[in-house]
Amino acid sequence: VNTYAPNACSELQAPPLTVAATTVNLKYWERHQVETHWDAVAVEYSVNGGTFTDVSAPSNSEAAGCALSDDTTGWDPLSCTGSTPVNACGYEDTKNVFSGPLESGAACNALVTGATTPYAHRCHQITGLNADDTIRFRWRFASDGVSEYAGFYLDDVAVTNVRVPNACSPDTCRGQADGTACVDGDPCTTGDVCGGGACNGGSFITAPAETASVTVAADKTTYDWSAVASATRYDVVRGSLAALPVGPGGVDEACFDDLPGPSLVDATIPAADTGFWYLSRGENACGTGSLGQQSSGASRITTTCP
């Protein structure tokens, strides 16, 4: 039986989305089994690259764009972690999260037995937005060092009122000879040509290649690497040398997300007799580059920067 790790702080992030209205609804299916009111699954969002904020409570309001059948239960304050949080993400006891289920016993001395909760459909409405804002959602898991259970399972995520990542374009191929250059509106293709009166996709633009040539400046806080063709932004994962290899995520690792160029300034100082490792990767509208390979040849994977 799978169980999550103790003292974990890990997350799954959706890609940034462009808002098309003043509200959006986040919808998904989930099931979970985590230590009641000690461990947690937080659902948060960030607007325009700002601080991550808690989503609203799950709703079943049809007026808000949800369904009467949507589940609103199980969204409660963490409550048992204390004034000095013992969970790895440092979540306060007032933070609303999914935890449990409470099978028996007192709220802060609960027993969790049996299977995970049944799959439940959740709907959260996010208000106060502006058209063309960017919004990013994440599901963040926090555990302490005591009891571990089956964890959190997520499926079928949908977000309303966002723009799709391809542009509307006029039908320029009507009456044009096959092979005439055109644009099909998909930013991930190049060399589009007319064929049979329609614009057909050309070569597919892939995610950026692996980054290389990392250097550290004399100030020991500035890290640079070679720019990668087609990359429009970069991510960096930092972790503790003592916790190598890379992943699975959380605890010792940190993510520097969507950097505008091939450079990072990180003034964090590791503890005495320890050190940090850094990995960079490129991103574009068509995908995310690689963090490289382990000595075994397997790809490096971490949930810290999904």
Side-chain angles (χ1 to χ4, degrees):
V1 177
N2 289 332
T3 57
Y4 52 80
N7 297 313
C9 181
S10 56
E11 64 186 53
L12 173 67
Q13 285 194 21
L17 302 170
T18 302
V19 175
T22 57
T23 65
V24 302
N25 282 16
L26 172 65
K27 302 180 179 183
Y28 56 92
W29 290 89
E30 66 82 21
R31 63 186 305 190
H32 61 274
Q33 185 192 53
V34 299
E35 187 181 12
T36 305
H37 293 171
W38 290 94
D39 299 343
V41 178
V43 188
E44 302 170 332
Y45 71 100
S46 167
V47 177
N48 297 326
T51 302
F52 277 93
T53 304
D54 292 342
V55 298
S56 60
S59 171
N60 62 359
S61 167
E62 291 181 300
C66 303
L68 286 175
S69 58
D70 285 338
D71 198 326
T72 63
T73 63
W75 182 255
D76 301 303
L78 192 50
S79 74
C80 295
T81 194
S83 57
T84 302
V86 295
N87 64 82
C89 293
Y91 285 149
E92 301 286 344
D93 55 10
T94 55
K95 186 176 180 70
N96 285 320
V97 296
F98 293 119
S99 69
L102 173 62
E103 296 287 342
S104 61
C108 290
N109 189 25
L111 298 176
V112 178
T113 59
T116 60
T117 61
Y119 266 109
H121 191 258
R122 307 290 186 171
C123 177
H124 308 265
Q125 186 176 68
I126 312 300
T127 61
L129 303 172
N130 297 297
D132 296 322
D133 283 345
T134 59
I135 191 167
R136 191 164 200 170
F137 293 99
R138 73 178 182 185
W139 291 260
R140 204 166 194 229
F141 175 77
S143 65
D144 59 24
V146 180
S147 300
E148 296 81 48
Y149 297 96
F152 177 74
Y153 301 81
L154 179 69
D155 199 0
D156 200 14
V157 178
V159 183
T160 65
N161 293 337
V162 294
R163 304 191 193 283
V164 293
N166 55 324
C168 295
S169 57
D171 181 7
T172 59
C173 287
R174 188 180 299 275
Q176 299 295 316
D178 290 354
T180 303
C182 60
V183 177
D184 68 354
D186 185 345
C188 293
T189 61
T190 186
D192 306 330
V193 296
C194 298
C199 188
N200 301 305
S203 301
F204 187 76
I205 302 173
T206 60
E210 184 178 342
T211 58
S213 304
V214 177
T215 60
V216 183
D219 62 9
K220 297 185 179 180
T221 64
T222 303
Y223 303 83
D224 299 285
W225 54 94
S226 299
V228 177
S230 81
T232 57
R233 59 191 184 276
Y234 297 87
D235 296 335
V236 172
V237 183
R238 184 197 73 207
S240 170
L241 290 174
L244 282 170
V246 177
V251 188
D252 69 298
E253 294 182 0
C255 178
F256 302 88
D257 196 27
D258 290 344
L259 301 171
S263 183
L264 166 71
V265 176
D266 179 22
T268 307
I269 299 175
D273 299 320
T274 64
F276 289 145
W277 53 259
Y278 293 83
L279 289 173
S280 61
R281 69 182 181 192
E283 287 188 65
N284 60 25
C286 308
T288 301
S290 170
L291 290 172
Q293 288 75 43
Q294 302 176 25
S295 58
S296 65
S299 295
R300 295 189 180 110
I301 298 174
T302 175
T303 59
T304 304
C305 271

